[in-house]
Amino acid sequence: MITMKDIIREGNPTLRAVAKEVALPLSDEDIKLGEEMMEFLHNSQDPVKAEELGLRGGVGLAAPQLDISKRIIAVHVPNGDLENPEPTLSAVMYNPKILSHSVQDACLGEGEGCLSVDREVPGYVVRHNKITLSYVDASGVKQKIRLKNYEAIVVQHEIDHLNGVMFYDHINQENPYALKDGVLVIE
Ligand code: FHF
Ligand code: ZN
């Protein structure tokens, strides 16, 4: 089971490396890793399990955060309604690739954090508002989807980890809350 002790923190060079594509067909090892990454996200969002295991709540996880430099991400985005467990997006993605993106940018009004960053970094993390994404799913099937708003932001945070990019690399150094005209702020 993945816990916080498996997650590497900033300063570890793996977080700044470009991860390697996963070989197809998917190996049993890569399938198992994806399943464990998704289990971590589930546990981290379960108040009882998160408390027991000392997990920070997470909506995404990238293999490099486990010191595994492979292009594998897991995302599990809850819909906000505590009564309804149906997530808006839940997938393990192998070799995810942004095929195209909107001209419009967006950022989270609350800024971003990271399981690999043990400090608050204030500021807007400006990203694409919409992305068209291809990836290989856990069954080995190639998928192509469009995402917008929060789901698109989460996936971009995860793909950044595959490219050695940290969320604060996108924050304006002079004024962390400066925004160009037209950037959508997601509350
Ligand atoms: C998180 N947590 O998941 C953050 C961190 C925008 O690479 O967002 O570092 F648990 C992955 C509902 C809403 C339930 C929010 C992408 C952030 C990715 C993980 N928590 C949440 C929730 C959360 C990072 N990460 C603050 C840990
Ligand atoms: Zn992160």
Side-chain angles (χ1 to χ4, degrees):
M1 189 186 8
I2 295 169
T3 62
M4 296 306 293
K5 69 171 170 27
D6 298 301
I7 295 176
I8 61 171
R9 308 305 157 95
E10 50 179 345
N12 187 313
T14 302
L15 289 172
R16 288 305 192 177
V18 176
K20 274 194 168 358
E21 291 223 336
V22 167
L24 301 176
L26 296 174
S27 67
D28 291 350
E29 185 188 349
D30 288 340
I31 292 168
K32 182 158 170 284
L33 176 58
E35 288 169 353
E36 292 196 5
M37 290 168 66
M38 185 57 80
E39 182 195 27
F40 171 86
L41 296 179
H42 279 268
N43 289 341
S44 82
Q45 291 180 32
D46 176 328
V48 175
K49 283 187 178 138
E51 167 83 31
E52 279 174 4
L53 297 165
L55 308 180
R56 275 178 89 184
V59 290
L61 184 66
Q65 294 181 280
L66 304 170
D67 208 9
I68 299 169
S69 202
K70 290 183 175 181
R71 302 186 80 82
I72 307 172
I73 65 173
V75 290
H76 187 74
V77 180
N79 70 3
D81 179 354
L82 291 172
E83 306 294 291
N84 176 1
E86 202 57 45
T88 62
L89 173 65
S90 185
V92 177
M93 300 178 180
Y94 296 88
N95 300 335
K97 190 173 177 209
I98 295 173
L99 301 174
S100 62
H101 62 79
S102 59
V103 172
Q104 183 168 41
D105 289 335
C107 64
L108 300 182
E110 307 237 296
E112 293 186 18
C114 181
L115 291 166
S116 297
V117 178
D118 291 325
R119 61 197 171 99
E120 296 263 312
V121 185
Y124 291 135
V125 180
V126 178
R127 300 186 181 280
H128 309 304
N129 184 45
K130 296 181 181 177
I131 57 175
T132 300
L133 185 74
S134 70
Y135 64 94
V136 171
D137 72 15
S139 310
V141 175
K142 182 114 178 238
Q143 302 286 342
K144 186 173 154 182
I145 60 170
R146 282 201 93 204
L147 295 174
K148 63 181 180 185
N149 301 336
Y150 186 61
E151 289 75 20
I153 299 271
V154 173
V155 167
Q156 287 172 84
H157 178 117
E158 301 319 323
I159 291 177
D160 270 354
H161 279 308
L162 307 183
N163 294 323
V165 175
M166 300 295 285
F167 73 93
Y168 45 77
D169 299 343
H170 299 284
I171 298 176
N172 184 311
Q173 289 301 300
E174 288 83 55
N175 179 359
Y177 291 104
L179 277 184
K180 293 185 175 159
D181 286 349
V183 178
L184 177 68
V185 181
I186 300 165
E187 300 295 351

